[in-house]
């Protein structure tokens, strides 16, 4: 027993409309298999006026399945399946049929394309302008002459000159803005430095004033203490002098009294 085996010589077949085409599948199976054709949407193909189904036996196990389609229509293009089934299993092969252009129709299309190109060229010539530009799809394009670059550069149109002037103006504006930006940056740095210096000077001045104020307060506190100390010393000295004077007066009185007593006794 052999599982069905399907081989497709040509998996892609092309043909023009209203022509005949033949699709072929080679099948090998044992025991003998049941073979049939089907569209890719599952519709089974039955022999008729436009479809011819034949099988050619090559040997005991090999069969050639042939599907012949007459007078192709647009609905005939697509996928076709050749299916083989026996008691062992089933196998299928796929062939895709696509539409080809007829040779005469192709030449006629080429002629139509050539005529269309000629009409377009004639229209372009009619739409030429005095400044050397031409209208294409509603736009103006400058006509270029690569073989004479110097001439094309020397005879520029008004629009090209205006664009060149605008570009030059934009460049000048850009340079001016850049210089202004640099100047503002430098000015900002200078302002920051000046503010920092002023702040430092203010802090130093405040510290100096504070130190002077503290020194003045300490001096004022010291002077009253010294004055009170000197006053106390003077009072002490005065009292001592007074005591000494009293002592001298007492001593003098005692001496006088003693001398008087001696004189009286003698």
């Amino acid at each position: 027993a052999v599982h069905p085996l399907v081989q497709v010589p040509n998996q892609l077949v092309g043909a023009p409309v209203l022509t005949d085409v033949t699709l072929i599948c080679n099948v090998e199976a044992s025991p003998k298999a049941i073979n049939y054709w089907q569209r890719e949407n599952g519709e089974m193909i039955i022999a008729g006026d436009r479809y011819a189904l034949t099988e050619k036996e090559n040997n005991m196990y090999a069969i050639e399945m042939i599907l012949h389609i007459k007078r192709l229509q647009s609905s005939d293009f697509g996928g076709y399946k050749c299916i083989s089934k026996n008691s062992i299993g089933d196998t299928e092969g796929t062939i895709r049929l696509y539409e080809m252009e007829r040779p005469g129709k192709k030449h006629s299309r080429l002629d139509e394309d050539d005529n269309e190109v000629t009409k377009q060229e004639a229209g372009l010539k009619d739409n030429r302008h005095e400044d050397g530009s031409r209208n294409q799809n509603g736009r103006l394009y400058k006509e270029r002459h690569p073989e004479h670059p110097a001439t094309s550069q020397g005879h520029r149109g008004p629009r090209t000159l205006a664009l060149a002037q605008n570009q030059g103006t934009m460049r000048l504006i850009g340079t001016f803005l850049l210089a202004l930006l640099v100047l503002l940056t430098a000015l900002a740095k200078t302002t920051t430095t000046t503010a920092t210096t002023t702040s430092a000077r203010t802090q130093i001045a405040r510290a100096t004033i504070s130190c002077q104020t503290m020194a003045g307060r300490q001096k004022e506190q010291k002077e009253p203490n010294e004055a009170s100390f000197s006053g106390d010393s003077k009072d002490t000295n005065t009292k001592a002098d007074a005591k000494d004077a009293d002592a001298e007066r007492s001593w003098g009185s005692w001496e006088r009294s003693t001398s008087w007593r001696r004189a009286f006794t003698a």
Side-chain angles (χ1 to χ4, degrees), residues 44-103:
M44 184 176 293
I45 299 175
I46 301 174
D49 295 337
R50 298 182 54 248
Y51 296 101
L53 305 176
T54 58
E55 291 185 356
K56 180 180 178 182
E57 186 174 349
N58 296 329
N59 55 47
M60 187 181 298
Y61 305 105
I63 295 176
E64 185 178 54
M65 297 175 59
I66 301 172
L67 171 61
H68 188 71
I69 305 174
K70 302 177 181 178
R71 298 184 303 278
L72 280 175
Q73 300 177 3
S74 298
S75 59
D76 293 329
F77 297 107
Y80 290 82
K81 295 180 180 180
C82 51
I83 303 172
S84 178
K85 289 185 179 182
N86 66 1
S87 58
I88 305 300
D90 62 274
T91 307
E92 65 181 27
T94 304
I95 301 175
R96 181 158 296 278
L97 179 62
Y98 67 95
E99 181 181 2
M100 294 179 62
E101 293 184 354
R102 299 175 66 89

Side-chain angles (χ1 to χ4, degrees), residues 3 17 36 45 54 58 111 114 168 186 193 207 240 259:
H3 191 281
V17 179
Y36 59 93
I45 299 175
T54 58
N58 296 329
D111 294 338
D114 293 338
T193 305
S259 61

Side-chain angles (χ1 to χ4, degrees), residues 3-266:
H3 191 281
L5 176 64
V6 177
Q7 295 180 350
V8 180
N10 297 318
Q11 295 181 351
L12 190 61
V13 179
V17 179
L18 301 178
T19 59
D20 298 344
V21 67
T22 301
L23 308 180
I24 299 174
C25 289
N26 295 321
V27 179
E28 294 181 3
S30 178
K32 190 173 182 179
I34 298 174
N35 306 315
Y36 59 93
W37 290 87
Q38 204 176 52
R39 293 295 300 267
E40 61 182 354
N41 58 4
E43 179 185 357
M44 184 176 293
I45 299 175
I46 301 174
D49 295 337
R50 298 182 54 248
Y51 296 101
L53 305 176
T54 58
E55 291 185 356
K56 180 180 178 182
E57 186 174 349
N58 296 329
N59 55 47
M60 187 181 298
Y61 305 105
I63 295 176
E64 185 178 54
M65 297 175 59
I66 301 172
L67 171 61
H68 188 71
I69 305 174
K70 302 177 181 178
R71 298 184 303 278
L72 280 175
Q73 300 177 3
S74 298
S75 59
D76 293 329
F77 297 107
Y80 290 82
K81 295 180 180 180
C82 51
I83 303 172
S84 178
K85 289 185 179 182
N86 66 1
S87 58
I88 305 300
D90 62 274
T91 307
E92 65 181 27
T94 304
I95 301 175
R96 181 158 296 278
L97 179 62
Y98 67 95
E99 181 181 2
M100 294 179 62
E101 293 184 354
R102 299 175 66 89
K105 188 175 182 181
K106 185 175 181 180
H107 288 300
S108 63
R109 287 188 177 180
L110 290 175
D111 294 338
E112 291 177 359
D113 294 340
D114 293 338
N115 293 333
E116 186 68 23
V117 171
T118 304
K119 291 179 181 179
Q120 290 180 358
E121 291 179 353
L124 292 177
K125 290 180 180 180
D126 294 337
N127 292 330
R128 289 183 182 275
H129 296 273
E130 295 179 357
D131 59 352
S133 60
R134 53 186 178 181
N135 191 346
Q136 294 180 356
N137 298 328
R139 297 183 180 180
L140 293 176
Y141 295 88
K142 182 173 178 58
E143 187 175 2
R144 298 179 180 179
H145 302 281
E147 65 276 4
H148 299 291
T151 305
S152 61
Q153 292 179 0
H155 298 281
R156 294 183 177 180
R159 186 176 181 180
T160 305
L161 293 176
L163 290 175
Q165 292 177 358
N166 291 335
Q167 290 178 356
T169 304
M170 294 301 295
R171 290 178 182 176
L172 290 176
I173 293 174
T175 304
F176 174 74
L177 292 177
L178 181 60
L180 182 60
L181 179 61
V182 173
L183 181 60
L184 291 176
T185 304
L187 183 60
K189 291 182 179 179
T190 304
T191 304
T192 304
T193 305
T194 304
T196 304
T197 304
T198 304
S199 178
R201 290 179 179 176
T202 303
Q203 292 179 359
I204 293 172
R206 288 179 179 177
T208 304
I209 294 172
S210 178
C211 291
Q212 292 177 356
T213 304
M214 293 177 63
R217 290 178 180 177
Q218 291 178 357
K219 185 175 180 181
E220 290 176 357
Q221 292 176 359
K222 187 176 181 182
E223 288 178 355
N225 294 333
E226 292 179 354
S228 61
F229 178 76
S230 60
D232 293 341
S233 298
K234 289 179 180 180
D235 293 340
T236 303
N237 293 333
T238 303
K239 290 179 180 182
D241 293 341
K243 287 181 180 181
D244 292 341
D246 291 339
E248 289 179 357
R249 284 193 297 271
S250 298
W251 179 259
S253 299
W254 183 79
E255 284 184 349
R256 285 193 298 271
S257 64
T258 301
S259 61
W260 180 77
R261 285 177 184 178
R262 288 177 180 176
F264 182 78
T265 300

